[in-house]
Amino acid sequence: MRIIFIGPPGAGKGTQAARLVSHFDIPHVSTGDMFRAAVKAGTDMGKLADEYMRAGNLVPDDVTVGIVRDRLNEDDAKAGVLLDGFPRTVPQAEALEAMLNAEGMAIDAVVLLEVPDDLIVDRIVGRRSDPETGAIYHLQFNPPPAEIMDRLVHRKDDTEEAVRSRLAAYHAQTAPIIPFYEEKALVKRVDGVGTPDEVTERIIKALS
Ligand code: ADP
Ligand code: ADP
């Protein structure tokens, strides 16, 4: 199974991806997580990505396609994968298509997680993640246990200002990939408003 998750920042892609990868037993490939790991490791690529991410802009396509190509060449990604946050531009979608075609592989479904813009800012500003487990919380909608509060991370790009740039980037650069996949009849639109359990059920139903 090869699945792509598309949706605005804060739609719940990471939350749902964590649930779906255990359901389907496929690796979770998140370009955002890979860039954050590179920033933390202080690599040259991490330094470059950091500037774009802080401003809420997309990292250039050549860099992004390069890290995905390397990741998809690893053994565990051969049988299936859940791509979270990639592709995010039409050139990335085209590059992915060429990469998969060359291996005789194809995408099975594109899950479009729909959440209206006016709910996004609250979801993003209240997001916290646990660096030890990778779990994603929300101060109000999915409150973390009190004992781990001190170690939680608030992403530098989870400010109201950066989220506005990220939403603009989503509408201008990412939304145009929807018709690209609609032409291939791969898009499953899923309502991302509701409890995380409700959304998981909807995604599994859409994929079955
Ligand atoms: P969110 O979970 O809010 O949708 P991500 O963690 O997926 O955000 O991505 C965080 C940032 O990493 C993006 O704002 C962008 O700067 C960079 N990034 C992630 N994926 C891509 C991509 N496919 N192309 C370009 N930049 C990306
Ligand atoms: P994305 O990966 O699309 O940026 P996340 O999964 O990180 O989104 O979710 C963004 C924030 O919204 C997190 O704080 C998360 O706990 C919260 N969240 C996720 N799903 C829901 C939901 N169904 N209802 C309310 N809040 C949610």
Side-chain angles (χ1 to χ4, degrees), residues 14-84:
T15 301
Q16 295 300 328
R19 292 156 169 246
L20 270 278
V21 291
S22 46
H23 184 88
F24 291 112
D25 195 23
I26 49 177
H28 176 196
V29 172
S30 157
T31 40
D33 286 350
M34 290 194 281
F35 284 135
R36 280 184 289 279
V39 171
K40 207 169 164 193
T43 64
D44 286 345
M45 192 268 280
K47 283 176 192 146
L48 181 124
D50 194 31
E51 286 185 30
Y52 290 93
M53 291 167 82
R54 277 174 192 264
N57 295 327
L58 294 182
V59 178
D61 285 336
D62 56 339
V63 178
T64 308
V65 168
I67 63 162
V68 173
R69 178 174 284 119
D70 290 349
R71 182 65 186 88
L72 293 185
N73 277 330
E74 287 175 35
D75 284 344
D76 69 322
K78 297 282 182 202
V81 70
L82 194 162
L83 287 167
D84 165 11

Side-chain angles (χ1 to χ4, degrees), residues 11 16 114-115 119 123 141 191-199 202:
Q16 295 300 328
E114 297 183 301
V115 174
L119 297 184
R123 281 201 186 184
F141 309 138
D191 181 3
V193 183
T195 66
D197 284 346
E198 285 167 344
V199 178
R202 287 176 200 148

